[in-house]
Amino acid sequence: MRNTLLRRAAVLATTLGLTSLGLLGAGAAPAQAAISDCPQGYFCGWASGDGTGSMFKTRTSVPTLGSWDNKIRTRYNRTGLNVCMYDQPNYGLAGGYSWDTPDQNYPTSGGDPDTSSIKLVPTLRECEAEPYPYWETATSPRASGFGDMNGDRRADAVLRDEAGRLWFMPGNGSGRLIGAGGWNAMNALVRHGDFSRDGREDVIAREKATGKLWLYPGTGSGGLGTRKLIGSGGWNSMGRLAAFGDLSGDGRSDLLGVEKATGKLWLYPGTSSGGLGARKLIGAGGWNGMNALVGAGDMTGDGRADLVAREKATGKLWLYPGTGSGGLGTRKLIGSGGWNSMDHILGVGDTSGDGRPDLEASDGIWLYQYQGLVTGGLRKVDSSNASWWALEGATAF
């Protein structure tokens, strides 16, 4: 039995590329002892190929390695962060870089000892870029409030990154942290609308563990205030949620939800106290066939908020116009196919500066603008924005 277990361990070590570390067989004890000196929370390195001898360690980014420059052959990442290793000092990209993913179970070795600087970051994207993508929008001719969280007449976007941080992108190419962490506890994040009735756009989030629904009131500067419970539980029974604007026609922002078990579409009207009223059925079934719902504003120009939905089976994009009675009218095809290739679809108001709501969509690399037309249709514009890469696990809204 001992030989069998040893063979299995050897195969595993070979698969993981550890045979060069001397962790198995004769001479294993000194190497294992040296490697075990790397404490939890640190990135460690050795000049040897087997993890013996003097050890370099850090738990913060290091712009220059000094005497360890171009020396590290064996490394062990126990930081819980991504470790970016650059061929140039000061995190220079000219010579390229490599990386180790968080909390490795084993040290690794091999390759040339060419590391001159080390950066520790929550997301792999930050090895060479900001944690958020580039987002720039034109100034709208009028202040509609829809999609504008800081009141500058530019459509804004919010990004929850893979590490659970929340970033506010105000439409000028910059970004700002508005949530330091913990947002991965939410399995739905939506806006639009002033639910708290203070003239500022808010965010609604559903808590994954409890099914509770929380309102995060906008501060007017792009940030979020103290949250308020607006749904005590049971919201995990809903598949997709869409904060809509005013569909019921009472001047208050509403929320839409698709019931997982039945595929029914429900309207939850906003109340004067910032909560949600008794729900109303506005879609008898079949809404589980949609894999994206976007409250995109008044796309048809009739003064009523509309809904955009993507059909899972076909990748088609449909516009459902709002009616004066708080329901949805006959749908209209505005995208004939291919929309399933889009990772993010954002309806955040007027991004083109012509006064009409638009859509923005990303395929995982490029961001495209789909300008809203007077007919309620869309016109695709390539904005030459290729900054939407390495956002796996992120949510833009």
Side-chain angles (χ1 to χ4, degrees):
M1 179 64 69
R2 180 178 298 172
N3 287 339
T4 301
L5 290 176
L6 180 60
R7 289 193 188 99
R8 288 181 180 176
V11 170
L12 176 62
T14 301
T15 302
L16 296 173
L18 299 178
T19 52
S20 63
L21 296 182
L23 298 183
L24 296 167
Q32 186 63 43
I35 288 169
S36 67
D37 288 342
C38 182
Q40 186 69 40
Y42 281 79
F43 172 83
C44 302
W46 296 264
S48 65
D50 60 359
T52 58
S54 299
M55 182 177 70
F56 166 88
K57 68 176 183 178
T58 183
R59 56 180 176 179
T60 60
S61 298
V62 185
T64 56
L65 295 187
S67 62
W68 281 92
D69 186 45
N70 293 329
K71 294 280 184 68
I72 295 176
R73 289 183 178 273
T74 303
R75 59 193 188 275
Y76 196 4
N77 180 16
R78 307 192 72 197
T79 65
L81 298 168
N82 294 281
V83 176
C84 320
M85 295 162 285
Y86 302 86
D87 294 358
Q88 303 291 321
N90 301 306
Y91 324 121
L93 294 173
Y97 69 92
S98 59
W99 64 89
D100 283 343
T101 52
D103 287 326
Q104 294 181 337
N105 294 321
Y106 302 94
T108 56
S109 70
D112 296 327
D114 52 8
T115 299
S116 294
S117 56
I118 295 171
K119 186 192 290 186
L120 279 59
V121 292
T123 65
L124 193 57
R125 176 187 169 90
E126 292 168 84
C127 285
E128 57 181 290
E130 298 287 357
Y132 50 85
Y134 188 79
W135 175 262
E136 184 176 12
T137 56
T139 302
S140 182
R142 60 179 181 271
S144 65
F146 187 87
D148 181 10
M149 294 181 67
N150 62 356
D152 64 355
R153 293 182 16 223
R154 288 177 181 261
D156 308 318
V158 179
L159 181 89
R160 192 258 312 270
D161 69 19
E162 186 181 11
R165 297 171 297 177
L166 209 62
W167 299 90
F168 172 63
M169 300 183 294
N172 62 3
S174 69
R176 176 165 59 89
L177 188 68
I178 59 172
W183 286 88
N184 280 337
M186 304 298 174
N187 62 1
L189 293 165
V190 296
R191 43 189 276 252
H192 297 291
D194 173 22
F195 288 87
S196 58
R197 308 288 292 166
D198 62 358
R200 301 160 180 166
E201 188 169 81
D202 309 315
V203 168
I204 289 178
R206 180 178 61 194
E207 194 169 22
K208 179 168 52 178
T210 65
K212 292 179 178 179
L213 205 64
W214 295 94
L215 172 70
Y216 291 82
T219 62
S221 61
L224 299 173
T226 302
R227 70 181 186 177
K228 172 188 175 182
L229 185 67
I230 60 171
S232 58
W235 284 88
N236 279 333
S237 66
M238 294 293 167
R240 304 199 173 273
L241 300 176
F244 197 76
D246 179 20
L247 179 63
S248 58
D250 60 1
R252 300 166 186 155
S253 296
D254 306 317
L255 184 71
L256 301 183
V258 177
E259 196 169 24
K260 290 179 184 177
T262 64
K264 293 178 178 178
L265 184 66
W266 295 93
L267 167 69
Y268 294 83
T271 67
S272 58
S273 62
L276 298 172
R279 69 182 187 177
K280 172 187 174 183
L281 183 65
I282 62 171
W287 285 88
N288 281 334
M290 303 296 174
N291 61 4
L293 295 180
V294 181
D298 179 16
M299 300 287 289
T300 59
D302 62 359
R304 299 163 185 160
D306 305 314
L307 178 69
V308 173
R310 181 178 62 191
E311 194 170 26
K312 179 168 55 178
T314 64
K316 292 179 178 179
L317 204 66
W318 296 94
L319 173 69
Y320 292 82
T323 68
S325 58
L328 298 172
T330 303
R331 70 182 187 177
K332 172 185 176 182
L333 186 66
I334 59 172
S336 59
W339 283 85
N340 278 333
S341 65
M342 298 299 177
D343 298 331
H344 308 279
I345 302 176
L346 296 90
V348 291
D350 178 19
T351 62
S352 62
D354 62 0
R356 290 188 293 270
D358 307 305
L359 293 182
E360 302 271 342
S362 166
D363 62 4
I365 297 177
W366 296 92
L367 182 72
Y368 301 97
Q369 182 184 75
Y370 292 84
Q371 293 180 359
L373 305 177
V374 292
T375 59
L378 299 171
R379 180 170 69 92
K380 182 179 179 181
V381 177
D382 186 350
S383 56
S384 300
N385 182 350
S387 68
W388 286 68
W389 47 269
L391 292 173
E392 291 78 11
T395 302
F397 61 104

